[in-house]
Amino acid sequence: MRKKYFAAFWQLFRGFWQSEEKWRARGLLAVVISLNFASVYLLVQINTWYNDFYNALQNYEEQLFWPLVGEFTALAFVYIIIAVYAIYLRQLVQIKWRTWMTKEYLARWLNNRVYYRMQLTGSDTDNPDQRISEDINQFVNLTLQLLIGFLKQLTTLAAFGVVLWNLSGVFTVPLGSYSFQIYGYMFWFSLAYSTVGTVFAHLVGRKLIGLNFDQQRYEADFRFGMMRLRENSESVAFYGGEKAEGEGFREKFVAVIKNFRELMNRTKLLNFYVNGYAQLAVIVPLVMAAPQYFSGAMALGGLMQTVSAFGRVQDALSYFVESYDTIAQLASVIRRLEGFTEHMEDAQNATSGIKIAVGAKDALTAQNLNINIPTGENLLKNCSVEFLPKVRWLVTGASGCGKSTLLRALAGIWPFGSGTINFPAKGETLFLPQKPYLPLGSLRRAIYYPNPERRDDDENLRQKLQKVGLAHFAERLDDVDDWSRILSLGEQQRLAFVRVLLIRPQRLILDEATSALDEPYEKAMYELLREELPNMSIISVGHRSTLFAAHDENLSLKGNGEWTAASITT
């Protein structure tokens, strides 16, 4: 299990540090580490100051008091500057690393429609938005925090270990008529104390990894449920589904609270142990150094320096104990990101039996096309159709026979099946789904989607809005709002026709893209396309018989894979 976590960590970790930004990133990290080493050096100097200061107090050397206070002030001032910039620059590394990882994950998630294929191939993962927005941030933050902290504590152990060894001297242990001596006994005691503490910390806190993982998942599910209600508020309101939604929220929230209580109980046990361990470490060095102090072998300054050095060594050796909760959080983040990465790779590498070719012919064609559903059931068998330019096809059939799935195959997003789909090398193909997607932002941006960089003069937009019956929105082109909430589904479908008039594609494929319009408006939209884009070929999926008048050819899906193609006679 530990090897698996380390391998997963290394896969996540190494990308940024081997990327095109590696030299700047490594240089910045080297500065951060150097500042932490410098802070350890200053702590050693402050530890030496303890010896001089408390010896001066013990000997009533007033003439040394203020110079030593001034020395401490200078050391503390420099230490504060270094500590502040060490954190500031570490956060700068965090920003750069998170930015790089977020770009990489977004690119992989969006590339080759992985975000869609993950749902089709059974490689879907819960809350991918959380993986990219929160888990990457936590991975970067926790990794830097633990890595830099570990290096700092390792340096502290080396520096203060030598100091503690020298201050400890020799401890003689009588054993009957014999005795033996332990050199650097306080160092060895600190090592043994920390080792035992680390083992018990792991035994007490190891369940935190799974609990943290589950807590993130339950929290995300609860949050996503509320997002769904917000996105579908009108439908829920029509159904009067508040009670059902509330029950669903309560179920999800109960899971959140139940897991959090388990997390609380386990954290309570760990905190009891960690705090008890830390408090005991305060008195232990005094007890251990007391014999030498009371025998006169050690002055007050030496005692205070020893206690300080023991505390530093103890902190360094106890780093795992103090950081166990952080390590548990990092392990759960690694587990979530590893799963998300594997699911994206599965979706990316999933092979499609349907071959997409470009430029083989001058028309959009399907050759020996077989379309299946994920369970293997066949929807369409050996379909060979040539969708010639300027010809308008209507795809009809009973619900569930595969009409929309055929369009998904033509769009290249349906992997289940076989055969070849050829797209001409010239001209653009535009797909209009039944429910148009309107991004957040201005109405202008929604109209131009998916080409937000395109710009037309406002008068041209007003004319096109008027042609589809949306002239009353012409003065709100730059209003920023949730337009999918403001516009009815019929208005959204008409807005999609504005996109068609702006893009002017060679081929238009519509998946019940006029289902929310009444028959007169539907007829008007198809007549508008014929007038404005007479050379454009059209493939429509629809149920209304009135659509036959707007098309030339009919591809009828019969179910069980059967199909027929025939000209439409009016």
Side-chain angles (χ1 to χ4, degrees):
M1 181 62 71
R2 287 191 297 270
K3 289 183 179 179
K4 180 181 178 181
Y5 272 114
F6 182 79
F9 169 79
W10 180 244
Q11 289 297 322
L12 294 169
F13 176 85
R14 67 178 182 176
F16 175 63
W17 303 100
Q18 295 177 352
S19 69
E20 65 282 356
E21 299 183 29
K22 61 183 178 182
W23 294 117
R24 295 178 61 183
R26 292 175 185 178
L28 192 56
L29 182 62
V31 173
V32 174
I33 294 173
S34 299
L35 289 175
N36 279 274
F37 288 168
S39 69
V40 173
Y41 171 78
L42 288 174
L43 289 175
V44 173
Q45 299 304 309
I46 292 173
N47 179 262
T48 303
W49 175 89
Y50 277 122
N51 190 4
D52 297 336
F53 183 75
Y54 283 102
N55 281 337
L57 290 181
Q58 184 181 29
N59 297 326
Y60 300 100
E61 295 174 332
E62 183 179 357
Q63 71 278 9
L64 296 178
F65 179 80
W66 290 111
L68 286 170
V69 170
E71 179 183 343
F72 178 82
T73 302
L75 289 172
F77 178 78
V78 176
Y79 179 83
I80 291 170
I81 296 298
I82 290 176
V84 168
Y85 273 95
I87 296 175
Y88 175 79
L89 294 177
R90 188 195 76 191
Q91 291 173 332
L92 186 58
V93 175
Q94 180 181 339
I95 290 174
K96 293 182 178 297
W97 192 357
R98 181 188 178 186
T99 300
W100 185 87
M101 283 192 71
T102 300
K103 288 181 178 178
E104 287 292 309
Y105 269 79
L106 281 174
R108 293 170 67 179
W109 191 46
L110 296 174
N111 183 49
N112 199 25
R113 299 186 175 100
V114 165
Y115 62 91
Y116 178 75
R117 293 163 66 94
M118 286 173 69
Q119 302 175 39
L120 298 178
T121 60
S123 299
D124 196 15
T125 189
D126 61 289
N127 307 297
D129 55 305
Q130 183 188 16
R131 301 289 172 266
I132 296 174
S133 65
E134 293 184 20
D135 287 343
I136 287 177
N137 183 38
Q138 284 196 47
F139 173 76
V140 171
N141 181 35
L142 296 176
T143 298
L144 285 175
Q145 181 180 330
L146 289 170
L147 175 62
I148 295 173
F150 173 76
L151 292 175
K152 181 178 180 179
Q153 295 299 344
L154 187 64
T155 307
T156 300
L157 176 62
F160 282 95
V162 173
V163 173
L164 187 60
W165 181 285
N166 293 331
L167 290 172
S168 299
V170 181
F171 186 71
T172 301
V173 180
L175 191 63
S177 58
Y178 299 97
S179 64
F180 62 93
Q181 296 177 325
I182 302 177
Y183 293 88
Y185 72 96
M186 291 192 69
F187 175 82
W188 294 115
F189 180 81
S190 178
L191 180 61
Y193 183 75
S194 302
T195 301
V196 173
T198 299
V199 171
F200 278 97
H202 176 64
L203 294 176
V204 173
R206 58 185 173 180
K207 290 186 178 180
L208 285 172
I209 296 174
L211 290 172
N212 274 303
F213 176 85
D214 291 338
Q215 189 66 28
Q216 289 289 336
R217 179 164 58 89
Y218 292 141
E219 295 279 6
D221 288 343
F222 180 55
R223 183 173 61 249
F224 182 71
M226 290 185 286
M227 289 172 56
R228 287 278 295 165
L229 174 61
R230 186 184 66 187
E231 292 171 355
N232 299 277
S233 57
E234 185 176 57
S235 298
V236 174
F238 273 125
Y239 277 114
E242 295 81 10
K243 184 177 180 180
E245 292 296 323
E247 185 62 31
F249 292 151
R250 280 190 291 274
E251 290 176 1
K252 289 181 173 61
F253 191 65
V254 164
V256 170
I257 296 302
K258 182 181 178 181
N259 190 80
F260 188 71
R261 285 189 178 276
E262 294 182 22
L263 190 61
M264 284 171 54
N265 291 331
R266 183 55 55 173
T267 303
K268 179 182 69 175
L269 292 176
L270 183 62
N271 284 338
F272 265 127
Y273 176 74
V274 169
N275 283 284
Y277 176 86
Q279 292 303 313
L280 187 60
V282 173
I283 195 66
V284 164
L286 290 171
V287 173
M288 297 296 294
Q292 286 192 318
Y293 176 73
F294 288 117
S295 68
M298 180 182 293
L300 178 61
L303 175 66
M304 300 308 296
Q305 187 181 11
T306 301
V307 171
S308 175
F310 184 91
R312 297 296 180 183
V313 171
Q314 189 62 39
D315 286 344
L317 290 171
S318 303
Y319 183 66
F320 180 78
V321 177
E322 302 291 339
S323 303
Y324 197 92
D325 185 56
T326 304
I327 295 171
Q329 292 181 44
L330 178 61
S332 63
V333 168
I334 291 171
R335 183 176 166 186
R336 291 194 297 272
L337 284 176
E338 178 193 23
F340 182 45
T341 304
E342 289 178 352
H343 291 160
M344 285 199 297
E345 289 175 353
D346 290 342
Q348 180 70 43
N349 297 330
T351 57
S352 174
I354 301 175
K355 181 181 178 182
I356 304 296
V358 178
K361 294 186 177 182
D362 293 332
L364 173 61
T365 62
Q367 295 177 306
N368 301 318
L369 184 63
N370 293 278
I371 298 177
N372 305 326
I373 59 176
T375 59
E377 182 181 346
N378 190 257
L379 293 177
L380 192 64
K381 296 179 182 177
N382 297 320
C383 180
S384 295
V385 180
E386 189 172 21
F387 302 101
L388 295 171
K390 303 182 183 181
V391 178
R392 297 159 185 259
W393 283 79
L394 177 63
V395 181
T396 59
S399 295
C401 68
K403 301 185 298 298
S404 295
T405 307
L406 169 62
L407 298 197
R408 295 186 187 107
L410 293 177
I413 64 176
W414 190 258
F416 307 107
S418 60
T420 302
I421 295 173
N422 175 76
F423 282 91
K426 297 180 180 180
E428 186 172 359
T429 301
L430 181 65
F431 292 82
L432 293 189
Q434 183 176 15
K435 190 177 189 313
Y437 174 67
L438 303 182
L440 295 175
S442 67
L443 180 60
R444 188 189 303 273
R445 183 183 180 190
I447 293 173
Y448 286 132
Y449 186 85
N451 299 307
E453 69 279 0
R454 179 171 174 168
R455 289 292 180 269
D456 290 85
D457 62 86
D458 288 359
E459 183 58 33
N460 183 34
L461 286 180
R462 290 189 182 96
Q463 291 176 4
K464 288 178 171 51
L465 286 170
Q466 185 175 8
K467 289 178 180 179
V468 300
L470 296 175
H472 51 291
F473 287 107
E475 302 304 321
R476 302 184 62 185
L477 290 173
D478 294 310
D479 288 3
V480 175
D481 213 324
D482 183 1
W483 290 100
S484 61
R485 178 183 56 84
I486 295 173
L487 300 179
S488 68
L489 182 56
E491 289 174 328
Q492 293 179 45
Q493 290 185 342
R494 281 183 277 154
L495 192 70
F497 278 85
V498 177
R499 292 176 180 168
V500 178
L501 298 179
L502 289 171
I503 295 173
R504 304 181 69 82
Q506 290 293 107
R507 293 162 294 279
L508 179 63
I509 302 178
L510 307 94
D511 184 9
E512 298 190 57
T514 57
S515 60
L517 303 180
D518 56 33
E519 292 181 2
Y521 246 127
E522 182 178 66
K523 180 181 179 181
M525 291 300 100
Y526 275 96
E527 289 178 350
L528 177 64
L529 294 180
R530 188 179 293 275
E531 293 170 3
E532 296 284 334
L533 300 164
N535 296 323
M536 181 178 67
S537 61
I538 292 178
I539 304 173
S540 300
V541 164
H543 291 282
R544 293 175 181 166
S545 59
T546 52
L547 285 172
F548 282 91
H551 295 81
D552 309 311
E553 303 284 338
N554 174 223
L555 177 61
S556 177
L557 306 188
K558 307 296 185 180
N560 298 320
E562 302 299 323
W563 60 277
T564 59
S567 297
I568 297 173
T569 57
T570 56

